[in-house]
Amino acid sequence: MAEFTFELNDDQKEVRDWLHGFAADVMRPAAAEWDEREETPWPIIQEAAKLGIYSLDFYAQQFFDPTGLGVPMTMEELFWGDAGIALSIVGTGLAAVGVLANGTEEQIGTWVPQMYGDANDVKVAAFCSSEPDAGSDVAAMRTRAVYDEAKDEWVLNGTKTWATNGGIANVHVVVAVVDPELGSKGHASFIVPPNTPGLSQGQKFQKHGIRASHTAEVVLEDVRVPGSCLLGGKEKLDERLARAREKAGSGAGERVKNAAMATFEASRPAVGAMAVGTARAAYEVALDYARTRVQFGRPIIENQGVAFQLADMATQIDAARLLVWRASWMATAGKPFTHAEGSMSKLYASEVAKSVTAQAIQILGGNGYTREYPVERMHRDAAIYTIFEGTSEIQRMVISRALAK
C-alpha cells in the first residue's frame, strides 16, 4: 500500500503531461464543433486509441496505480480539455468498472477487452442502471431478469434511460431486478453481448451540456443472455439473495450491497476529478482574461472584486482536488469510506464546478455569455456533475447517514 502523498511521481507527471498535450492539441480545437454537432466524436476517439489513451491497457494501468491517483489525474486532464469529448472517451470505463466490481476473473477477461476494441476497430460500452421512474431511487427499478433454467438463460425486459453510449455500444452492462421483494438488494448485473436480439436504442437525448457524449434510452424486449452473462455467477447471486432474505426476515439492518451501488461507489471520486478538470479549465480562461482585459486604464485583475473571485475559485479547486485524491487513495488502499469520503469528494467537486464556471462567465462579462469564449460551454457542461451518478442531494443523504452511524 502506497502512502498518501500530495506529489505525483515522475512517471505520473509524464503521463499527466502526455494527456495534457492531447487535451490541448486534439480535444480543445474540436470542442466547439462537436458540441454543436451533438454527435459522438469517433475521429477523436480513434486518435485517442491510436495513441494508446483509449485502451484497456492504459486504463488498467491507471486503475491499478498503487497510489490511487492514476484515474483522477487522467480524468482531470481529459475533462480540462473538453467535458463532452472526454466523456465519449472515458464513458466506457463505467461499464468496465461495473464488470470489475461485480464480475468473475473469467468475465473480466472476456468482456472488458470487447468494450474497447482496438485502434483499428474502436468500440464503446454502456452501463445501464437508471430508468424513467428509477433514477436516484434504485429500489424503484422495474427492468426484470427472469431465469430460464431449462436453457440456462436470463430473459431481460424493461427500459433504461440516461445511458452513456446506450444503443451504440458493443457491450451493454444492464442492472435488473431478479427478486422484486428484496427491493434494491434484489438486483443483479448482466452482460448483454454485441448484436443480441431484443436490445434497441430508444430516444436519444438532446442535452444542455456534454453534447458530444451520446446519451440515450436502451429498450430491452425479451433479451436472452446466457447464464454466464450474470456478473459474479448464479451461485454467488443465490448466496447473496439468501442472506438478504434472512436479514429481511429477522429484521436485522445489515447492509447488502447491490450491483449498481457497487459501481457508483467505485466511480464517484472519478466523477469528482472530472468536475475538477472542468472547473480548472474555466478558472484558467477567467484568469488569463482578467490579466489581459483592460478597463479604466488597468487590467481587471487589479480590481479587488475580480481578484477575490479568482482567489476563491483557485482555493475551491484545490480543496476539491484534495478531497478527490484522498478518496481515490483510500479506495486503492482498501480503507472504508466510514464518513462517505467518496460521496464527499463527488459532492464538493461537483458544486465547485458549477460555481467556478458561473464565476468565470461573470468575470468575462458579456463575452462570457457568448459561444466565442469556451466558458459558456464549460458552464453548461458543469451542470451534469451535480446530477449523474447520484445527485448532490443523494450525496448529502449518503454522507449524513454515514455520520449518523
Side-chain angles (χ1 to χ4, degrees), residues 200-269:
S200 62
Q201 179 184 309
Q203 175 187 6
K204 178 186 174 182
F205 295 103
Q206 293 181 303
K207 305 187 299 294
H208 176 65
I210 55 167
R211 294 177 179 177
S213 173
H214 176 96
T215 309
E217 290 182 332
V218 174
V219 181
L220 304 142
E221 297 178 306
D222 292 328
V223 172
R224 286 182 168 268
V225 299
S228 59
C229 287
L230 167 64
L231 290 181
K234 194 166 189 305
E235 182 177 347
K236 183 178 178 181
L237 172 65
D238 289 342
E239 291 175 356
R240 178 166 62 81
L241 295 178
R243 289 198 305 272
R245 294 187 191 103
E246 182 181 348
K247 297 299 179 184
S250 66
E254 182 178 333
R255 179 172 177 259
V256 179
K257 184 177 291 187
N258 71 69
M261 295 311 296
T263 302
F264 292 143
E265 286 179 6
S267 62
R268 277 173 179 159

Side-chain angles (χ1 to χ4, degrees), residues 128-132 134 138-148 153-160 173-192 198-199 218-225 230 237 241 245:
C128 308
S129 177
S130 293
E131 298 184 3
V138 294
M141 190 177 294
R142 294 180 181 177
T143 297
R144 291 292 307 277
V146 178
Y147 185 56
D148 183 344
E153 292 179 339
W154 288 89
V155 184
L156 280 62
N157 281 282
T159 299
K160 295 296 182 179
V173 178
V174 177
V175 182
V177 179
V178 294
D179 190 333
E181 295 182 0
L182 294 176
S184 62
K185 298 178 179 64
H187 296 175
S189 288
F190 299 85
I191 292 286
V192 181
L199 184 148
V218 174
V219 181
L220 304 142
E221 297 178 306
D222 292 328
V223 172
R224 286 182 168 268
V225 299
L230 167 64
L237 172 65
L241 295 178
R245 294 187 191 103

